[in-house]
Amino acid sequence: MDNALPFQPPRPSLFLGGRWTGSSDDGTRESVNPADGQVIALVDEATAADAAQAVAAARAAFEHGRWPRSAPEERAALLSAIAELLDRDREAIARLETLDTGKTLKESRIDIDDVAAVFRYYAQLAEDPASYGRSVDVGEPDIDSRVTFEPVGVCVMIAPWNYPLLQISWKIAPALAAGCTMVLKPSEVTPLSTIALVRLIEEAGAPAGVVNLVLGSGAVVGAALVDTPGVDLVSFTGGLHTGTRIAATAAKHVTKVALELGGKNPHIVFADADWDSAVDAVLTGVFLHSGQVCSAGTRLIVEEPVADRLVAELAARAARITVGDGLDPASETGPLVSFAHREKVERYAALGVAEGARLVCGGQRPNDPRLAEGAYYPPTIFDHCDRRMRIVQEETFGPILTVERFTTEDEAVRLGNDTRYGLAAGVRTADQERGERVARALRHGTVWINDFGRYAPAAEWGGFGDSGFGRELGPSGLAEYQQSKHFWRNTEPKAGNWFADGGKD
Ligand code: TXE
């Protein structure tokens, strides 16, 4: 029956202590292509006992293996080798990512190139002595004071489904550079590209036990990983509700936590902004990957005089976006990741109508019969929204743009900060000083000025507020996987005679 599937990753698909294995209860799970509802693969479904075994394997590799004690050159070589293998297998993995997530092949290829760039960036950082410590001048010639940055230990990495390969790689690459060992748990909705990546990591020569992989549900496997003693760090990207549960469980074990919990990201457009690039960026910012992007610019905040014109142009352009199977080169955006997720997005669209926002385009399933079998949902715009509406405040994680208007700069900033999240924001204006002023006032982890959605491996990524804490990418992304130790060496030890008798009787 497996042979009937269009894609079958090599099974078994769990990787524990350097060995590929099935689930301890022989459980499996189907992976579904959201473009047509077809099952594309069967993967092994781990149990809580498998999760505990994975943590034990990572613990053993951390305590006794060579990786935490490896030389910088060895770490850099492994990271570079992984990047090379990603280049080699780019097309195959891109196809897998598209089948599993629904995103277009063009997007999947970009993801894989970005992932390779992140591995290369951390290869470079792994060879930089500044990554491992610094000397401290304590002002005494006989004191040699050094702070070293050591691997934090065993890391659990839990990733979501929207950028499966990319988000888990933002965790794996710095953790390897730091000398950590780890257990990966991709989303049960999109496990395939992570299986492929772990095979490449094995091929690149990672010692047994350094990278372990378990697959399965958050409720069983994810929860077991977080609630297992012997974990030093849980790095999680996903929903707010899940993130708070993970943090609460981790607190019981005094486990360090890093959380990236999404956002409701404002895109502020002043009337003087360059028109064509503004229209283009607002459109791409919200509808790329059908809005399933944590930093999507879902909340347009536009200066009153140009609002009607901008909404009209956005609606016209949105209606022309070609929605379709990600494998079809004509498709500009794919389906939502799953049928269940489409239902959630539909509930938000219905809520927008009920809350009194004006539906300008989209808002119901496409009636093209070629899209009938997939989890498709069209670009949707709600105008005349109010800051108190739930569609303005909650992360819909779908192709839904809300529009609010402002008349003063203060009001724009107030609206831009009027969110429990704080992941990313954009401001568009021809006035450079105003751009800087507004960017400084916005409480978000990334602010784009006359651009949107871009990032760089060397620049930190993460949120303010309920978007979470901890940083990925950049030197701070490495620091997340390290802990400091202070060495204080006295080169000329002498009695200090603090006490009056000098310690004699
Ligand atoms: O994510 P979950 P879901 C947002 C988005 C979306 C919402 C819910 O708004 O609609 O979250 O999506 C694992 N212990 N984002 O339900 O549940 C789970 O198996 C340990 C934002 O799909 O957060 C998966 O691997 N792990 C986001 C991962 O957590 C648990 C990207 C994410 O799943 C667990 C995706 C538990 N108790 C959705 N429960 C972003 N920040 O980019 C689940 N998991």
Side-chain angles (χ1 to χ4, degrees):
M1 124 105 179
D2 286 9
N3 291 341
L5 302 176
F7 171 76
Q8 183 56 53
R11 280 185 54 212
S13 39
L14 312 181
F15 194 55
L16 308 180
R19 220 168 48 83
W20 290 96
T21 172
S23 158
S24 53
D25 71 357
D26 295 325
T28 56
R29 177 186 289 266
E30 294 176 342
S31 240
V32 171
N33 179 357
D36 57 13
Q38 296 298 307
V39 175
I40 44 173
L42 273 187
V43 298
D44 293 295
E45 174 88 358
T47 61
D50 297 329
Q53 202 191 324
V55 172
R59 187 85 249 161
F62 189 76
E63 302 296 341
H64 312 297
R66 71 167 202 278
W67 189 251
R69 288 155 277 278
S70 56
E73 307 78 60
E74 188 183 352
R75 296 183 193 179
L78 178 69
L79 289 158
S80 302
I82 296 168
E84 295 291 308
L85 294 172
L86 281 162
D87 290 347
R88 184 195 70 189
D89 291 353
R90 178 179 188 255
E91 272 312 299
I93 299 177
R95 207 181 140 75
L96 214 56
E97 196 76 318
T98 289
L99 285 170
D100 218 11
T101 62
K103 67 174 69 182
T104 61
L105 257 181
K106 182 177 171 182
E107 289 173 72
S108 294
R109 289 184 184 123
I110 292 171
D111 285 3
I112 289 155
D113 293 344
D114 284 359
V115 167
V118 167
F119 277 101
R120 290 199 167 94
Y121 169 72
Y122 281 107
Q124 226 177 53
L125 224 54
E127 289 203 285
D128 181 349
S131 298
Y132 300 102
R134 64 175 199 277
S135 303
V136 178
D137 183 358
V138 297
E140 295 180 41
D142 298 342
I143 299 302
D144 163 25
S145 163
R146 281 164 289 136
V147 175
T148 59
F149 306 139
E150 304 194 348
V152 72
V154 173
C155 306
V156 161
M157 299 164 177
I158 301 178
W161 41 257
N162 53 337
Y163 285 87
L165 193 74
L166 185 131
Q167 274 156 332
I168 209 140
S169 298
W170 285 15
K171 303 179 193 304
I172 299 170
L176 285 174
C180 293
T181 64
M182 61 208 79
V183 180
L184 319 180
K185 198 207 81 66
S187 167
E188 59 274 37
V189 184
T190 54
L192 302 185
S193 59
T194 305
I195 301 173
L197 176 65
V198 172
R199 290 196 170 271
L200 297 189
I201 293 173
E202 183 190 20
E203 185 181 342
V210 172
V211 176
N212 302 274
L213 171 67
V214 289
L215 306 175
S217 74
V220 175
V221 184
L225 287 173
V226 180
D227 207 3
T228 302
V231 174
D232 298 294
L233 165 72
V234 176
S235 178
F236 170 77
T237 303
L240 177 59
H241 176 68
T242 308
T244 55
R245 287 183 61 178
I246 286 176
T249 307
K252 281 198 313 191
H253 301 285
V254 199
T255 302
K256 186 179 169 189
V257 181
L259 303 173
E260 205 272 62
L261 307 177
K264 187 75 188 180
N265 313 289
H267 201 162
I268 299 173
V269 179
F270 283 90
D272 65 352
D274 176 73
W275 188 257
D276 289 345
S277 63
V279 174
D280 185 68
V282 171
L283 206 68
T284 316
V286 60
F287 296 132
L288 181 80
H289 194 13
S290 295
Q292 302 166 113
V293 182
C294 51
S295 55
T298 46
R299 189 173 173 188
L300 172 62
I301 297 170
V302 53
E303 197 167 3
E304 183 67 59
V306 295
D308 285 343
R309 184 177 157 219
L310 185 58
V311 170
E313 196 157 331
L314 287 170
R317 293 268 307 266
R320 293 201 299 271
I321 292 175
T322 310
V323 180
D325 188 331
L327 289 178
D328 180 348
S331 302
E332 292 177 305
T333 191
L336 297 180
V337 74
S338 68
F339 295 89
H341 187 56
R342 178 170 66 175
E343 282 174 23
K344 175 181 164 175
V345 171
E346 284 178 315
R347 283 196 296 276
Y348 270 113
L351 182 67
V353 173
E355 287 182 308
R358 208 177 88 214
L359 181 64
V360 179
C361 69
Q364 52 189 339
R365 292 182 190 183
N367 46 25
D368 181 342
R370 286 169 306 173
L371 305 182
E373 302 304 317
Y376 294 97
Y377 199 78
T380 297
I381 300 178
F382 281 106
D383 196 5
H384 296 289
C385 293
D386 181 278
R387 50 171 289 277
R388 285 161 302 202
M389 292 176 177
R390 283 181 55 200
I391 44 159
V392 173
Q393 291 295 342
E394 296 177 19
E395 192 180 41
T396 63
F397 230 62
I400 298 182
L401 178 70
T402 62
V403 186
E404 296 157 88
R405 290 136 198 266
F406 70 89
T407 49
T408 66
E409 184 179 316
D410 276 357
E411 195 187 357
V413 169
R414 238 187 354 263
L415 286 172
N417 283 334
D418 173 37
T419 170
R420 65 190 299 187
Y421 293 104
L423 186 62
V427 51
R428 313 192 76 84
T429 173
D431 178 342
Q432 206 174 323
E433 278 177 26
R434 177 161 63 186
E436 285 294 320
R437 220 169 33 236
V438 171
R440 269 199 306 275
L442 288 169
R443 295 198 36 83
H444 294 261
T446 295
V447 184
W448 293 287
I449 305 171
N450 294 331
D451 212 332
F452 204 89
R454 315 279 303 277
Y455 74 92
E460 276 73 3
W461 179 267
F464 287 30
D466 287 358
S467 290
F469 46 78
R471 287 293 178 266
E472 302 199 287
L473 303 181
S476 311
L478 176 62
E480 209 63 62
Y481 294 93
Q482 296 177 314
Q483 56 191 347
S484 61
K485 183 194 278 181
H486 184 192
F487 287 73
W488 175 289
R489 187 167 67 99
N490 193 329
T491 55
E492 296 289 338
K494 298 181 201 68
N497 295 334
W498 174 276
F499 294 111
D501 64 2
K504 299 186 188 88
D505 34 67

